[in-house]
Amino acid sequence: MRCGRAFRAVALAGALALLTGCETTQSAGTSTPAGETTVDGALSTRSQSPTADFTVRVFPPGESWAEAVQPLIVRVSNQAFDHPDVQLSASLDGEFIFDQAFNVEDQHSVTLFGVNVAPGPHLLTVVSDTGAKVEQALDLTEGEQQWVVVDYWYFDPGPTGQQRGEEETPGPSFQVFVSDQPVYID
């Protein structure tokens, strides 16, 4: 029977995939996080992943930061009056952290992302919808907290094409600062 052979081939392929630990990839906007696989509709964490306990807690503007106790705190702000609304997305070692709009408001609107992640080396990647991209290498130490400040900037060149300041480069950019101490806004 042809159907019987096809069914056995599909079943065998499925069994081999389970036995060999077939990994899935993740792109923004899909429902299963990259550090997890779906088995019969249930989520289970892959034990071989360096970020097996990877979770993110969002602290929106105005919320208390008292519970920001995760090993990695990513503090994000739009500082660009020239581009007051920007869509930013971030990942850590390919694991999704956020993809959302940030408004400049008064330049004091910040969002914290508390990330539970294993100690060791990591790579934070942040991208804007305007084409800016930054990658920041991090090395998290067991039992210690690390803060990463990510500020988005956008400078329009003057009408004559001149820059407004010596350190300002026209167009979108990020400024990143890493600290082992909490970084607050006055």
Side-chain angles (χ1 to χ4, degrees), residues 17 35 37 40 74 90-91 134 136 140 147 167:
T37 56
D40 296 331
V74 181
S91 63
V134 66
Q136 177 67 50
L140 301 178
W147 284 64
E167 296 178 18

Side-chain angles (χ1 to χ4, degrees), residues 115-141:
V115 183
N116 281 320
V117 64
H122 297 281
L123 182 65
L124 175 69
T125 304
V126 185
V127 180
S128 76
D129 64 351
T130 60
K133 179 179 179 180
V134 66
E135 291 185 327
Q136 177 67 50
L138 305 169
D139 194 8
L140 301 178
T141 303

Side-chain angles (χ1 to χ4, degrees), residues 19-97:
L19 291 173
T20 59
C22 178
E23 294 191 11
T24 61
T25 58
Q26 174 71 23
S27 62
T30 58
S31 61
T32 305
E36 299 176 333
T37 56
T38 302
V39 180
D40 296 331
L43 294 177
S44 63
T45 303
R46 293 190 308 239
S47 60
Q48 70 270 26
S49 170
T51 55
D53 296 327
F54 186 89
T55 59
V56 177
R57 172 150 182 219
V58 179
F59 298 87
E63 187 173 313
S64 171
W65 295 1
E67 295 182 33
V69 295
Q70 294 78 6
L72 176 63
I73 304 297
V74 181
R75 179 185 162 270
V76 182
S77 178
N78 179 0
Q79 297 292 304
F81 284 122
D82 291 333
H83 193 204
D85 299 303
V86 66
Q87 186 77 21
L88 303 178
S89 61
S91 63
L92 186 70
D93 304 329
E95 302 278 348
F96 174 80
I97 298 176

